[in-house]
Amino acid sequence: MAMVNLKSKPEREEMPGEVEADEPQYPYGLCLHLGKDELEKLGVKELPDVGTPVMISAKAFVKSTSAYNTQGDGKTMSAELQITDMELMPGEKKDPASVMYPGA
């Protein structure tokens, strides 16, 4: 399965073309907070710099689901996932030549 970017589309304000400056880029619930105990379990000895990409591999179970119909929007669905196991790896590094000249 390919990765999907879950970045939110900016909401428009009352003034056409104006976007809320402090609007989050990603939906609520997609941010993980790892405390001292979790970082130790994952083997993180030094904190990465802010902005450093990392890869996460995780196992989760479906904690709850919900589906209902609304008059204006049609069917609304949601699922809550509980992460149970996780691995943290350095971000994927790509060879610049393969990015610029794919298939070469």
Side-chain angles (χ1 to χ4, degrees):
M1 180 178 218
M3 285 201 187
V4 175
N5 188 315
L6 299 174
K7 191 172 188 174
S8 299
K9 292 180 182 175
E11 301 257 343
R12 296 284 174 192
E13 290 295 312
E14 290 180 15
M15 295 292 295
E18 188 178 308
V19 177
E20 185 68 34
D22 61 351
E23 184 178 320
Q25 290 186 11
Y26 295 90
Y28 173 80
L30 292 182
C31 184
L32 296 176
H33 174 85
L34 303 176
K36 179 181 179 282
D37 292 343
E38 294 82 19
L39 291 170
E40 284 177 3
K41 287 179 182 180
L42 290 168
V44 176
K45 294 179 185 357
E46 259 186 60
L47 291 174
D49 293 334
V50 172
T52 300
V54 296
M55 295 295 294
I56 297 173
S57 178
K59 182 171 113 179
F61 68 85
V62 179
K63 191 172 177 181
S64 68
T65 61
S66 175
Y68 56 91
N69 291 317
T70 59
Q71 198 169 28
D73 297 330
K75 191 169 187 176
T76 299
M77 298 186 301
S78 67
E80 185 175 357
L81 304 177
Q82 175 64 60
I83 295 174
T84 59
D85 301 76
M86 185 168 67
E87 179 182 16
L88 240 149
M89 302 153 285
E92 185 179 331
K93 293 187 179 184
K94 295 183 180 179
D95 174 38
S98 69
V99 173
M100 293 181 72
Y101 308 103

